[in-house]
Amino acid sequence: LLSETQRDDFVASTQAEYELVRERRKGKQAKNKLLSYPQACANKLQLDWQNYQAPKPGFLGTKVFDDYPLETLIPYIDWTPFFITWDLVGKYPDILNDEKVGEAARNLFNDAQAMLQKIVTEKSIKARGVIGFWPANATSDDEVTIYSDEDRQNARLTLNHLRQQSNKAGGLTSHSLADFIAPENSKCPDYLGGFAVTAGIGAEALAKSYEEKHDDYNSIMVKALADRLAEAFAEHMHERVRKEFWGYAPDENLTNDELIKERYQGIRPAPGYPACPDHTEKTALFKLLDATANTGIELTEHFAMYPAAAVSGFYYAHPQTKYFAVGKIDKDQVIDYARRKNMSLEDAEKWLSPALAYDA
């Protein structure tokens, strides 16, 4: 771009490349016909609610965990993403013996263990969390109502979900998270859980202290470990929910590898992820949990969490729940979604832009 002789050719070739990308994307959109939103709703997952008794949580409302012991979380760390942070690709623990990157991975892993021990000993980072459970029922195809109490007469707030619209072969259903909560007319009193956890209290200050010493390596190490501890906190707390606080799987006995592979009953989808791609639903979750007051986690204007080493989401308990991706959605669903959320179509399209199957 700075070269008098190369700039024009570079700009022209880049423009030509992106024109090809646009045409390719347009051609792909034309091939992928979607169901209409009413058709997708008619193709929803039908669970047997008449013969299902929803497990009741051990408490309703919220429970706060302050200064949670980090040493309890360390065994739950998934190390594979940690190595990816450092551009070392490979599955843990195999990566430690990899022919190409094994030595670098071992050195990095040893440094991480030393830093973890230092953080635990000096208590330079703290973990806080909050979980909660509430009476809930699906009150429309893609709406779940959270009730104030077990009488289920007063709605506290409504969660809005999105439904798959891809035209699937073989009679496969069009999933929405709302399908995993008992419909109101089923007379099955159901429940929904939520959580927000962080292992980033103090992490930024610690990372900055290394930066001030021009030690970028350990500054990045602190941030990477805080992220891993936050994910481990989410994993550990979900296990306690299944076995203890909600208690629908008290005899579960899974290894850490089995936990990483999600071999447990239930899911914990997070707003902004494939099953619920709208980040704005964090507002409802944080309101239910009073998350900022209880944990110190704040939402930015773009619904990112601060501290960054934080995880939040919902708990679903039905044995047939599973993770899925909503995928691309069409304008008819976005119009309905905007109406349900009392949001302008323009705002809905802005927040859902990665999921749109059309050019807004």
Side-chain angles (χ1 to χ4, degrees):
L1 287 173
L2 296 175
S3 167
E4 292 293 334
T5 58
Q6 298 180 55
R7 180 181 59 239
D8 292 346
D9 286 345
F10 175 73
V11 170
S13 66
T14 303
Q15 289 175 335
E17 178 190 355
Y18 274 76
E19 187 57 37
L20 285 173
V21 171
R22 280 189 286 273
E23 289 301 317
R24 189 162 62 240
R25 179 174 179 269
K26 184 193 295 183
K28 187 176 180 181
Q29 286 179 324
K31 292 176 186 175
N32 295 338
K33 293 293 185 182
L34 300 181
L35 298 175
S36 70
Y37 183 50
Q39 286 175 323
C41 291
N43 191 44
K44 68 188 293 185
L45 177 67
Q46 302 287 347
L47 297 177
D48 182 8
W49 297 109
Q50 302 305 317
N51 296 305
Y52 175 72
Q53 184 172 354
K56 184 176 179 178
F59 66 90
L60 296 178
T62 58
K63 184 176 180 65
V64 179
F65 303 87
D66 189 26
D67 200 8
Y68 205 85
L70 294 181
E71 55 269 31
T72 304
L73 307 180
I74 292 173
Y76 291 83
I77 290 178
D78 178 2
W79 287 103
T80 298
F82 170 79
F83 290 107
I84 293 173
T85 299
W86 297 88
D87 289 332
L88 295 176
V89 180
K91 185 174 172 57
Y92 175 82
D94 297 342
I95 191 173
L96 299 179
N97 297 308
D98 185 88
E99 286 186 11
K100 293 182 179 179
V101 300
E103 183 179 357
R106 287 193 298 273
N107 291 336
L108 183 66
F109 187 67
N110 291 335
D111 289 346
Q113 301 308 304
M115 178 63 78
L116 271 176
Q117 188 58 51
K118 182 178 173 64
I119 288 170
V120 169
T121 301
E122 298 179 358
K123 298 185 181 297
S124 49
I125 290 179
K126 291 187 176 182
R128 295 178 188 157
V130 58
I131 63 172
F133 307 104
W134 309 277
N137 281 109
T139 44
S140 75
D141 287 318
D142 289 310
E143 290 179 306
V144 172
T145 296
I146 305 296
Y147 299 102
S148 298
D149 51 47
E150 282 281 35
D151 291 340
R152 299 173 191 258
Q153 299 300 310
N154 299 314
R156 185 170 172 182
L157 55 76
T158 299
L159 301 174
N160 291 279
H161 296 299
L162 293 161
R163 184 172 297 280
Q164 294 174 324
Q165 284 188 266
S166 57
N167 195 353
K168 301 178 182 180
L172 296 175
T173 54
S174 305
H175 288 342
S176 164
L177 286 175
D179 296 343
F180 301 131
I181 299 294
E184 188 178 38
N185 60 13
S186 70
K187 306 303 179 185
C188 174
D190 210 347
Y191 302 89
L192 184 76
F195 71 96
V197 298
T198 178
I201 306 298
E204 186 168 314
L206 181 59
K208 189 174 181 180
S209 72
Y210 283 109
E211 287 176 13
E212 290 171 349
K213 299 172 188 173
H214 306 290
D215 186 351
D216 290 341
Y217 177 71
N218 278 316
S219 176
I220 296 169
M221 178 69 76
V222 167
K223 295 173 184 177
L225 289 176
D227 285 341
R228 288 298 90 213
L229 285 167
E231 294 287 351
F233 198 176
E235 190 73 79
H236 169 67
M237 192 54 65
H238 194 192
E239 182 183 61
R240 290 193 68 184
V241 163
R242 297 189 301 272
K243 298 170 70 172
E244 179 183 350
F245 299 123
W246 203 332
Y248 58 80
D251 300 323
E252 177 187 290
N253 185 23
L254 301 177
T255 65
N256 191 42
D257 191 51
E258 288 172 321
L259 291 174
I260 291 169
K261 292 177 180 177
E262 299 160 0
R263 298 281 169 80
Y264 44 75
Q265 177 183 326
I267 57 175
R268 56 171 192 275
Y273 279 73
C276 44
D278 181 13
H279 284 278
T280 70
E281 282 295 283
K282 286 179 193 161
T283 302
L285 175 62
F286 269 54
K287 185 176 180 180
L288 284 168
L289 293 166
D290 198 9
T292 300
N294 285 327
T295 67
I297 305 171
E298 298 179 352
L299 291 177
T300 71
E301 62 182 2
H302 291 101
F303 299 98
M305 289 178 287
Y306 182 84
V311 186
S312 64
F314 299 101
Y315 292 133
Y316 288 75
H318 194 284
Q320 288 180 255
T321 56
K322 64 179 183 178
Y323 291 107
F324 62 91
V326 167
K328 296 297 183 181
I329 58 176
D330 221 339
K331 192 167 187 174
D332 57 349
Q333 179 166 192
V334 179
I335 291 171
D336 184 80
Y337 189 74
R339 174 191 61 78
R340 287 190 272 126
K341 286 180 68 80
N342 195 26
M343 179 185 285
S344 71
L345 177 60
E346 183 180 15
D347 279 348
E349 288 177 331
K350 179 182 77 171
W351 294 114
L352 295 173
S353 58
L356 300 183
Y358 62 96
D359 291 323

